[in-house]
Amino acid sequence: MDRLIGTRLARFLIPAVFLALMLALWEFAVAAGWLRRLLFPPPSRLIGSAIELASVGVPVGNTLLYNASVTLARILAGFIGALVLAIPLGLLIGSRPLLDRATQPIVGFCRSVATLSLLPLALVWFGIGETSKIFLIGYGCFWVMLSNVIAAVRLVDPVLLNAARTMDIPEHRLFMRVVLPATLPRIAAGARIALGVGFMVIVGAEMIGTVTGLGALIMEARTFYRTDITMIGMLAIGILGLVLTSALARLETRLMPWLPRGNAEAG
Amino acid sequence: MEVANLGMNDRPMRSGAGPAMLAEPMPDAANGGTDPIIRIAGVGKRFASDTQGSEPVLDAIDLTIRDNEFVVLLGRSGCGKTTLLNIVAGLEKATSGSVLVANRPVTGPGGGKGMVFQQNALFPWLTAARNVMFAAQSRGQSKAEAAALAAELLRLVGLDAVGDKYPSELSGGMQQRVAIARALALDPAILLMDEPFGALDELTRNEMQDELLRVWQVRRKTVLFVTHSIWEALMLADRIVVLAPRPGRIVLERSVDQPRPRSRTNPGLLALHEAIWQALQAR
């Protein structure tokens, strides 16, 4: 048995068998009347709902794929907007110690504010349209990203700068030649964390003022006591997050082939 | 009149410049007549954070190093040996005194002063060959020239097959070989080495010492090498300079006349080991 655990087949098979067992137990618990069907729809019911959601849609026309694509578009808009602003700003702040010192409390504070607590403000500022949702995702991603980029610059090993200096690289070119490539891995790690934040924010952001998106779907389902739809929605968000995160990790290993293998998956 | 004269004679003596220098014995005359390439004169160093009245990191260090000489700075942690090396490299500023390399005062890093650091100073985003090329291109070589030089230098340090590997894929010993090749790619007048083998296991360390001597015999350079290992100093050096801490000062200078490769059972080296051991006890 111990010898089996290490093999590749076992690595896939063991969690799969365990998952199947848990699902079977759930199905059985509902059938036996230990769990109420309305509150804990069994896996067999969920499969049916998933097919309904994917083909007809709830409300009719809003298919699962459509909702997922709306959610994905919002996340990407907020996430990419945050990166575009936070990376240059973080590089600037990180390489100016005075600026770093001056902004530290602000960055720390804004990062700590629970993004969804800004929801009422966002609604007042930007209305109930797309802008307020993208703003909330962008806000959450931005501060996480900014503090990671600042730290990335601060943590560049001074020995690398000194090594470049012994090679007659002038001070004004150290940034492009050394600082930027040296910070890339930490910036990428920051992006992965920020994306996770985006996924946490999106559901809340979609709960008000819209009928599209996976967050809206989950909320709508509650009004009709469709716990099965809520669960499918959760599942869809989870899968979307997993796909996006692993795409980012793959991009990372492609862009930074020098990183030790497994680095991207671990962080 | 008399008072004025005294003052005139006094000043150049203290600053170590002017007519008084002519009266100094030429240090190179005793050592085969080659030119001094590094002149460290009265170098002292205090950090801004030092408390009033504490001893300086370095106090009035005088050291002259001949062209192609292999000098080892030896001392315990905190004796200021790395600080002295950094001052020669131009990475730190001395509080007092002066350093001349090839008769020009050191004002900053670069300008033909190659350096090998303790560890992890290779650019992790560049392959071994690209790291070496970075140095070659920094002194104006074309990409093709730099690639050829990198291949040649990697072969010299015994790494012909790993040019396209990243530093993270190399062992500690291999990384330091690349670092040596990179420093040589600058075609430096002097090579400064800051405990380059300090992070390696003892066997690898011994191999690297042999390797360094082999490379040094092919590409003659002036080497200033910092270590806290007496045996490393004995294996490598033409001359060993022992530093003691607080204030950082030279407490012993010995030439090592044994031919290389040297054996640890050599009675001359054993006697020298004892003398250095005694000197290192100084506080």
Side-chain angles (χ1 to χ4, degrees), chain A residues 157-169 171 176-183 256-261, chain B residues 89 91 109-115 117 119-126 131 134-135 138-139 166-168 182 186:
Chain A
D157 192 341
V159 81
L160 295 180
L161 297 173
N162 278 341
R165 289 184 179 116
T166 67
M167 291 176 240
D168 286 294
I169 306 296
E171 290 294 317
M176 288 305 282
R177 301 292 305 270
V178 180
V179 176
L180 201 58
T183 50
M256 291 173 276
W258 67 87
L259 291 183
R261 252 162 230 271
Chain B
L91 293 170
K113 301 190 291 291
M115 185 131 174
F117 297 85
Q119 58 173 330
N120 297 336
L122 294 176
F123 301 123
W125 58 90
L126 298 177
N131 263 284
F134 187 105
S138 77
R139 61 180 175 97
Y166 288 101
S168 64
R182 184 174 70 170
L186 292 170

Side-chain angles (χ1 to χ4, degrees), chain B residues 23-232:
Chain B
E24 251 181 64
M26 294 300 278
D28 38 289
N31 292 316
T34 39
D35 288 333
I37 186 149
I38 305 177
R39 274 177 182 275
I40 300 169
V43 163
K45 175 74 177 177
R46 254 178 206 289
F47 289 122
S49 57
D50 281 354
T51 49
Q52 197 81 48
S54 68
E55 298 287 0
V57 182
L58 290 172
D59 186 34
I61 304 284
D62 293 301
L63 186 63
T64 304
I65 297 169
R66 300 187 312 276
D67 210 4
N68 291 339
E69 194 180 10
F70 199 128
V71 173
V72 172
L73 293 176
L74 179 67
R76 63 172 71 208
S77 310
C79 72
K81 55 193 191 299
T82 292
T83 304
L84 183 58
L85 192 77
N86 283 340
I87 289 171
V88 176
L91 293 170
E92 285 187 58
K93 295 238 179 298
T95 323
S96 57
S98 67
V99 178
L100 298 181
V101 171
N103 290 321
R104 301 174 70 163
V106 171
T107 53
K113 301 190 291 291
M115 185 131 174
V116 179
F117 297 85
Q118 195 164 14
Q119 58 173 330
N120 297 336
L122 294 176
F123 301 123
W125 58 90
L126 298 177
T127 62
R130 292 271 171 185
N131 263 284
V132 181
M133 287 171 68
F134 187 105
Q137 287 177 291
S138 77
R139 61 180 175 97
Q141 286 205 337
S142 74
K143 200 171 172 181
E145 287 170 326
L149 181 65
E152 181 193 333
L153 288 173
L154 285 176
R155 204 176 314 122
L156 177 69
V157 297
L159 291 179
D160 8 23
V162 302
D164 56 354
K165 292 252 190 288
Y166 288 101
S168 64
E169 300 173 291
L170 302 176
S171 70
M174 288 166 124
Q175 288 179 17
Q176 290 306 73
R177 286 171 198 246
V178 178
I180 291 169
R182 184 174 70 170
L184 288 175
L186 292 170
D187 193 21
I190 62 171
L191 192 53
L192 306 170
M193 307 186 84
D194 183 11
E195 300 193 38
F197 311 142
L200 305 177
D201 66 84
E202 197 171 350
L203 280 176
T204 311
R205 192 176 181 143
N206 289 345
E207 282 168 24
M208 292 297 294
Q209 290 162 6
D210 294 344
E211 196 76 354
L212 175 62
L213 286 176
R214 191 180 57 71
V215 170
W216 179 67
Q217 272 150 11
V218 179
R219 302 252 158 160
R220 276 292 169 155
K221 295 279 175 205
T222 307
V223 179
L224 186 55
F225 187 107
V226 163
T227 184
H228 56 245
S229 158
I230 303 179
W231 275 114
E232 187 159 80

Side-chain angles (χ1 to χ4, degrees), chain A residues 132-169:
Chain A
S132 59
K133 293 166 188 60
I134 293 169
F135 166 78
L136 285 174
I137 294 161
Y139 180 94
C141 295
F142 176 81
W143 295 105
V144 167
M145 196 60 204
L146 186 67
S147 53
N148 272 285
V149 178
I150 294 172
V153 179
R154 210 189 297 135
L155 292 173
V156 171
D157 192 341
V159 81
L160 295 180
L161 297 173
N162 278 341
R165 289 184 179 116
T166 67
M167 291 176 240
D168 286 294
I169 306 296

Side-chain angles (χ1 to χ4, degrees), chain A residues 82-103:
Chain A
L83 294 200
V84 167
L85 292 175
I87 292 175
L89 194 61
L91 290 172
L92 178 73
I93 293 175
S95 45
R96 300 275 184 286
L98 185 69
L99 211 52
D100 183 21
R101 184 66 62 83
T103 55

